[in-house]
Amino acid sequence: MRGRHLEPVATGRSMTTQQLHLFNCFYLAVLLVVVYFTRATARRIAGALAGGATLGVVCLGAIALAAAAAAIQTATMICCEELRRLHFDSKKHVLLDVPVNRPFAKR
């Protein structure tokens, strides 16, 4: 598994599985240090792990929802440009309400 790469992220960089395992070991070590110094009970540790897992699932849902919203926004912009109702200026990153070649526009 050494040197295996996951899918590249949007920035073009990727993370190896070895790096993921390294960070997981680091987080486990931090957890053990915190448990030792706070003298946490098993019930408190289980509650913290369950809460962390729940938050992870909620965050994955939020990411999926944001990706869906971005896809809908992109599709809407493409449709509006095809209908020649709106124009997105990609250099200035603004949406312009510019009627272009409206067939029923008053002259």
Side-chain angles (χ1 to χ4, degrees), residues 29-82:
V30 170
L31 174 69
L32 293 176
V33 168
V34 169
V35 166
Y36 177 77
F37 284 115
T38 61
R39 297 180 184 169
T41 62
R43 183 176 177 184
R44 188 172 292 248
I45 295 167
L49 292 175
T54 304
L55 182 65
V57 171
V58 169
C59 288
L60 284 175
I63 290 169
L65 183 64
I72 291 170
Q73 181 183 14
T74 302
T76 304
M77 277 200 243
I78 291 171
C79 289
C80 288
E81 283 194 359
E82 287 295 321

Side-chain angles (χ1 to χ4, degrees), residues 73-74 76-81 84-99:
Q73 181 183 14
T74 302
T76 304
M77 277 200 243
I78 291 171
C79 289
C80 288
E81 283 194 359
R84 295 188 172 140
R85 298 293 184 227
L86 297 172
H87 176 69
F88 183 74
D89 188 358
S90 60
K91 291 182 183 175
K92 296 180 182 178
H93 298 289
V94 292
L95 189 63
L96 305 171
D97 185 16
V98 179

Side-chain angles (χ1 to χ4, degrees), residues 1-9 13-27:
M1 284 203 198
R2 186 179 168 119
R4 252 180 160 182
H5 289 276
L6 297 176
E7 291 294 320
V9 292
R13 298 179 182 167
S14 62
M15 182 176 265
T16 64
T17 53
Q18 183 181 12
Q19 288 171 324
L20 290 172
H21 292 310
L22 180 69
F23 279 106
N24 286 336
C25 290
F26 172 73
Y27 294 140

